[in-house]
Amino acid sequence: PILFLSTSPDTHPASTFRQPTPYPSPHRAYSLHKPLRRGEARRYPSSRRASQVFVRIKSMLQRSAPLFRRSLFPSPKGYVTTLNPVLPPSTISSVLSHIPSLYSGGPHFTTGQYPDEWHYRPPFTRDDVLREICNGWKSSEAVARIVLSRNLADNVADIMGWPGAVVGQDTVIQKPAARVSDEGDGKGVSVGYHYDGTYINDNFVLPDGRGPSPGCTLWIALEDSNKEVGGLEYAVGSHLWSRDGEGGEESDFMNPGDPRAYLKRFSGGEEIEIRTPTVEAGSAILHCSDVFHGSGPNTNPSSLRTAIAIHYIHPDSVWKESVSPVPWGGNSGYIYGRYRRRGDVRPCEDHFPRVDGKGRTRWVDEWLGDGEGVWDGTHS
């Protein structure tokens, strides 16, 4: 325990009391004095000065909290790769044959529900653009069996040191090869460097002042992924970079002019190490939601570089105050704000299901059982 002193008056009686606290007090600097002599009174700092010290300490802790969140990821690179497949070949074959029809929508949304985002709608969209569906699990049982997998969630929670895992969002993505035609320029499509946290888990915090909500992404290759097909690239260790430059223009995610423009804003002028992991179909990469990543063009016309990304958030996450359930309040974006219920800070499990074995959302079990997944948890 430490000596706890009131700081409201300029002077205080010599008598004091002790109060145990689990953390260092911001008033500690004013409490460790030599003993008083009999009849001696002590001058204490003004409440204004103590308040200034407290504000500085509070500000320092708030600035360090996001870095603490990022430093908890188990690899200094900001990502790990699975050593063995996470999906069986039969599942890969089945979902690969299903995804092209999923982009056609309508009756191909087997659940009868539309996804939250739907980019690429043949025959109205050019064939050489980036194809993306967000929260495809709501529209396709085949996708849901992967995204809501008990096996995958249990392994992710174990690696991250979480008590469980909640699905914040999924992304079904294809990147067609470059083509030269009247419509295409032959350069192919790139994905601008970005980090997932700014779109997903930054909408949440941990309760009771425990800090920002941590997050991670399991990026599952449904076709072989490497440099040739525009595989995922990482700025190694960038999850530990300062975010002091945040608040300006966001990353140009979809087919940017300079894929690394956003990345350079935060690198501090330092040399950036870029790596492109080679991932076989059925294997995956697990990365921190704060690591910068992007990808170059696909130069292999026989591949669509198909992948499913599952974005997980911590199971204790609650809504950040700035995410409002009404369109005129807060900074909620056009997806997440619609799912916050008024008067409730907890994410609704109808849209953010918990998928690990310990606290698995009941309707997920009733609908899909354990889902797909054969990951043994090994990674490097």
Side-chain angles (χ1 to χ4, degrees):
I2 64 173
L3 198 61
F4 180 88
L5 303 174
S6 170
T7 58
S8 54
D10 288 343
T11 60
H12 194 280
S15 61
T16 59
F17 62 92
R18 291 183 178 272
Q19 173 176 312
T21 58
Y23 50 85
S25 167
H27 307 292
R28 185 178 179 88
Y30 304 130
S31 61
L32 302 180
H33 296 280
K34 64 181 180 180
L36 289 174
R37 296 173 183 171
R38 178 174 297 182
E40 181 182 2
R42 175 174 291 144
R43 295 283 299 178
Y44 288 84
S46 68
S47 59
R48 179 180 179 183
R49 183 182 174 191
S51 298
Q52 289 172 343
V53 172
F54 181 77
V55 168
R56 286 198 298 269
I57 293 175
K58 181 179 179 181
S59 176
M60 179 186 69
L61 293 175
Q62 288 175 336
R63 289 196 305 270
S64 65
L67 178 59
F68 177 71
R69 175 185 80 181
R70 301 193 292 269
S71 66
L72 292 178
F73 192 78
S75 169
K77 298 181 299 183
Y79 69 92
V80 297
T81 54
T82 64
L83 295 178
N84 295 307
V86 301
L87 294 176
S90 58
T91 299
I92 297 170
S93 176
S94 174
V95 75
L96 272 178
S97 63
H98 168 64
I99 285 176
S101 63
L102 190 62
Y103 285 104
S104 298
H108 302 288
F109 292 149
T110 55
T111 64
Q113 299 293 323
Y114 277 59
D116 282 318
E117 292 188 60
W118 178 13
H119 306 287
Y120 180 66
R121 306 187 186 191
F124 307 107
T125 313
R126 280 171 39 181
D127 288 337
D128 60 342
V129 300
L130 189 69
R131 307 171 185 180
E132 181 186 44
I133 284 179
C134 293
N135 283 333
W137 70 262
K138 298 180 180 181
S139 306
S140 164
E141 183 173 333
V143 174
R145 294 190 64 82
I146 296 172
V147 174
L148 308 184
S149 163
R150 181 196 299 258
N151 168 265
L152 301 182
D154 282 343
N155 281 290
V156 166
D158 183 60
I159 292 172
M160 296 297 294
W162 297 349
V166 169
V167 171
Q169 180 181 299
D170 73 49
T171 307
V172 181
I173 194 165
Q174 290 185 318
K175 183 195 290 184
R179 66 188 179 93
V180 180
S181 68
D182 292 338
E183 296 178 349
D185 57 12
K187 295 180 180 179
V189 60
S190 297
V191 174
Y193 271 78
H194 62 284
Y195 63 96
D196 300 333
T198 191
Y199 302 104
I200 302 166
N201 54 294
D202 279 1
N203 291 279
F204 305 95
V205 295
L206 294 179
D208 304 320
R210 289 157 55 194
S213 173
C216 64
T217 297
L218 186 67
W219 193 89
I220 306 171
L222 299 180
E223 298 180 81
D224 291 347
S225 177
N226 49 52
K227 187 74 172 180
E228 180 188 16
V229 300
L232 217 54
E233 303 174 0
Y234 291 95
V236 177
S238 57
H239 61 305
L240 300 175
W241 290 357
S242 169
R243 297 298 193 265
D244 288 344
E246 199 140 34
E249 184 180 355
E250 289 189 356
S251 169
D252 186 2
F253 177 84
M254 305 287 281
N255 196 23
D258 179 3
R260 298 187 183 181
Y262 193 64
L263 176 66
K264 296 171 184 175
R265 276 182 49 194
F266 296 92
S267 66
E270 299 292 329
E271 183 177 352
I272 304 171
E273 180 184 359
I274 303 294
R275 293 187 191 176
T276 305
T278 296
V279 186
E280 295 183 353
S283 294
I285 308 170
L286 179 68
H287 67 244
C288 175
S289 62
D290 293 295
V291 71
F292 283 90
H293 58 284
S295 60
N298 179 4
T299 60
N300 184 346
S302 63
S303 172
L304 287 173
R305 207 218 64 173
T306 309
I308 292 179
I310 311 171
H311 308 287
Y312 295 99
I313 59 175
H314 193 283
D316 294 342
S317 300
V318 295
W319 288 108
K320 187 180 289 185
E321 288 184 8
S322 60
V323 179
S324 172
V326 293
W328 55 86
N331 180 23
S332 56
Y334 74 98
I335 290 182
Y336 284 91
R338 74 177 76 168
Y339 296 127
R340 178 172 181 177
R341 297 176 295 191
R342 298 185 186 185
D344 192 351
V345 297
R346 297 168 300 172
C348 175
E349 290 190 47
D350 287 350
H351 306 289
F352 301 95
R354 181 166 173 173
V355 289
D356 62 279
K358 295 179 182 178
R360 193 167 174 83
T361 298
R362 180 180 299 177
W363 64 258
V364 176
D365 252 350
E366 294 173 350
W367 179 29
L368 304 170
D370 288 345
E372 304 289 348
V374 295
W375 189 13
D376 59 9
T378 57
H379 61 278
S380 63

